[in-house]
Amino acid sequence: ETVYSFLWGDLFTIPLKNSSIGISLMLLLLIPAGIYFTIRTHLLPIRLFPDMLRALSEKKEHPDNLSSLQTLIISTATRVGMGNLVGIVAALSAGGAGALFWMWVTALLGSATAFIEATLAQLHKQPDPLYGGYRGGPAYYIHDWSNSKRQKQGTPVSKKNLLSVLFALSGLICWCGISQVISNSVTSSFKNAFGIPPIYSCLFLVLLAAVIVLRKNASVRVLDLLVPIMAGIYIILTLFLIIVNFRQLPGVFARVFEEALGLRQAIAGGFGAVLMNGVKRGLFSNEAGSGSAPCAAATAETSHPAKVGLMQAMGVFIDTLLCTCTAMIMLLVPADKISGLEGMDLLQAAMSWHFGELGVIFIAVILWLFSFTTFIGILFYARSNVSYLFGDTWAAQTAYKILALIMMFVGGLTAYTFVWDLGDVGVGLMTVFNLIALIPMSKEALVSLRDYEAKYKKS
């Protein structure tokens, strides 16, 4: 709890008229880093968005390797989880509609950070002797960075370095915690929607996950199938709601911008809550800077490392689009219909207003899909960290998968607050260790970006 408070709690507070803004360590690290990388890449998220779309069509040459699109699907599976549902509901409940605007701003800055870390993962990837193809991520590029510094100082290189070990351990701790959170959210939503006792839905979830993750390469095939379908259905549903309620849109967007810029909150004293809830939710949801997505980015086969960086930058936008979908589901409901509600109850009440009982069932099913694919995705991430810490052995890989499945089972039956905090502590520590190397190493990614533009922007 002390570490959690240090990472995510307010280090200091900036007083405002009738309000205040609390600044956490994560905010202090990620927002300046996002601004720095956005400037150094010359507004990459806006300037090179067409290139992000073109990168989707890149093909792989070797059938056993993963394409850039497949690694985007894997990282999207982990970004798109219960945070896109319950998380955005919490942000809007605490910060109002204006929190959505600050989520958009955070995504714009975060996409530049995502580009830098994904490109570095590509530049420092290694062949994977167990699964085939490639592996990598922050543990590997931090390792190379540390050894390059040792060589310059004339000291012997190491087989492992402390910062890489700390990052890899933080990742494994984080993903075990997330496993618990995933199963708890799924079993509780199924109990609310269908009256199914948690023990049954939990057993089904764990057994199905075990069948997939304990097989060598089933994870990628399942994600290739499920992620586009579930994200597509969710976006289409939201578009349908927007079309049906199009007359309300001017009022909804006016509310978002007015509350975001404090025009209403300046007097009431809530501007700090609007700003911080939007920024914090955006940082946690899009994962840019945490070092998670580079574990997938490193596995891609590509004609240029910067193409994978552009693909992962677009992943931040995809995540934010799905968060916006959830926000629209809520904001298009009359305020009196959902007043006093929060969390999953609020979201299910909003869907019930739109679609009746079918809406409640839909949210339970879509939450199950989002959470299930997140679990498969985080175990894909864990591969490279397990290999870095324990070597290339099937025993180590299988042991961690079994541990994660046990955590999933435990979490599905009882909500252990300690393990929820464990996930937050893990992702916070990952971010700290990742950024220590990411900022000085960013020059490599910027050189790769210039090379990409010299080769591809002329044609």
Side-chain angles (χ1 to χ4, degrees):
E1 289 178 354
T2 303
V3 177
Y4 172 83
S5 178
F6 174 70
L7 293 169
W8 293 100
D10 295 338
L11 289 182
F12 58 91
T13 303
I14 300 174
L16 300 174
K17 184 180 179 181
N18 301 325
S19 183
S20 62
I21 298 178
I23 305 297
S24 68
L25 178 62
M26 289 297 98
L27 183 76
L28 207 57
L29 291 174
L30 287 169
I31 293 300
I35 294 171
Y36 173 72
F37 293 138
T38 302
I39 294 171
R40 291 299 307 275
T41 58
H42 303 135
L43 301 178
L44 174 142
I46 299 171
R47 187 170 57 86
L48 293 181
F49 189 77
D51 293 70
M52 296 179 195
L53 298 176
R54 281 195 289 271
L56 291 170
S57 62
E58 188 177 35
K59 305 295 183 183
K60 60 182 181 179
E61 294 182 3
H62 197 286
D64 293 335
N65 293 340
L66 299 182
S67 67
S68 299
L69 178 59
Q70 285 178 304
T71 59
L72 173 64
I73 288 172
I74 293 167
S75 62
T76 300
T78 58
R79 286 189 176 108
V80 177
M82 62 175 293
N84 296 85
L85 300 175
V86 182
I88 185 64
V89 171
L92 268 65
S93 298
L100 180 61
F101 172 83
W102 293 110
M103 283 193 67
W104 295 338
V105 174
T106 304
L108 198 63
L109 297 175
S111 60
T113 306
F115 169 83
I116 297 292
E117 60 182 356
T119 304
L120 284 175
Q122 265 291 308
L123 291 169
H124 293 269
K125 67 185 179 184
Q126 299 178 0
D128 189 337
L130 282 180
Y131 291 95
Y134 302 100
R135 66 167 181 215
Y140 292 84
Y141 61 66
I142 292 172
H143 178 91
D144 291 347
W145 174 65
S146 176
N147 277 343
S148 69
K149 289 176 64 179
R150 284 173 174 269
Q151 287 176 333
K152 289 177 183 177
Q153 295 166 357
T155 56
V157 297
S158 60
K159 291 185 178 179
K160 286 186 176 66
N161 73 76
L162 179 62
L163 197 59
S164 291
V165 168
L166 289 173
F167 174 85
L169 283 173
S170 300
L172 298 186
I173 290 169
C174 168
W175 297 322
C176 267
I178 290 174
S179 300
Q180 190 270 351
V181 175
I182 286 168
S183 57
N184 185 263
S185 62
V186 170
T187 54
S188 61
S189 68
F190 267 57
K191 184 179 179 181
N192 292 337
F194 307 110
I196 299 174
I199 183 66
Y200 298 120
S201 54
C202 184
L203 277 173
F204 176 74
L205 183 67
V206 171
L207 289 173
L208 182 60
V211 169
I212 294 169
V213 301
L214 293 176
R215 295 177 63 189
K216 182 178 177 181
N217 281 318
S219 298
V220 175
R221 291 194 293 272
V222 170
L223 293 178
D224 282 349
L225 176 66
L226 286 182
V227 173
I229 291 175
M230 70 181 191
I233 289 173
Y234 198 57
I235 291 170
I236 290 169
L237 178 83
T238 309
L239 288 174
F240 172 76
L241 289 179
I242 289 172
I243 292 169
V244 170
N245 299 281
F246 74 95
R247 290 186 180 86
Q248 298 182 41
L249 285 181
V252 167
F253 281 104
R255 181 183 165 195
V256 168
F257 287 106
E258 286 173 5
E259 293 189 15
L261 301 175
L263 300 180
R264 294 181 182 177
Q265 278 64 32
I267 299 173
F271 176 67
V274 174
L275 174 65
M276 295 314 300
N277 276 283
V279 171
K280 286 180 179 178
R281 181 65 261 156
L283 292 176
F284 196 86
S285 181
N286 65 49
E287 296 184 359
S290 72
S292 293
C295 297
T299 63
E301 177 192 306
T302 181
S303 59
H304 198 284
K307 287 187 177 181
V308 178
L310 290 168
M311 192 80 77
Q312 292 301 326
M314 189 170 68
V316 174
F317 288 119
I318 294 172
D319 170 79
T320 306
L321 172 62
L322 289 163
C323 284
T324 304
C325 288
T326 303
M328 286 297 167
I329 289 172
M330 291 172 52
L331 295 174
L332 289 170
V333 176
D336 61 302
K337 302 295 183 183
I338 52 177
S339 62
L341 299 176
E342 58 183 28
M344 185 55 66
D345 291 337
L346 192 156
L347 184 57
Q348 288 185 321
M351 286 298 290
S352 178
W353 188 85
H354 287 300
F355 296 106
E357 191 62 28
L358 283 176
V360 178
I361 294 172
F362 174 81
I363 284 296
V365 173
I366 206 74
L367 176 64
W368 187 90
L369 284 172
F370 278 16
S371 300
F372 184 67
T373 54
T374 296
F375 180 75
I376 296 173
I378 60 177
L379 285 190
F380 184 92
Y381 285 172
R383 290 180 182 181
S384 59
N385 290 323
V386 169
S387 292
Y388 184 83
L389 290 171
F390 306 110
D392 295 306
T393 67
W394 286 115
Q397 295 286 339
T398 305
Y400 183 76
K401 290 175 181 178
I402 291 172
L403 173 62
L405 288 165
I406 291 171
M407 294 289 280
M408 176 183 268
F409 179 75
V410 171
L413 300 181
T414 310
Y416 288 97
T417 305
F418 169 75
V419 189
W420 285 60
D421 290 345
L422 205 62
D424 293 338
V425 166
V427 75
L429 290 174
M430 287 168 67
T431 303
V432 172
F433 300 137
N434 184 37
L435 286 176
I436 288 173
L438 194 64
I439 293 172
M441 291 188 75
S442 61
K443 293 178 183 178
E444 294 182 37
L446 294 170
V447 169
S448 181
L449 175 61
R450 287 195 292 270
D451 181 69
Y452 165 81
E453 294 194 85
K455 289 180 177 177
Y456 294 97
K457 294 300 285 183
K458 293 178 182 179
S459 56

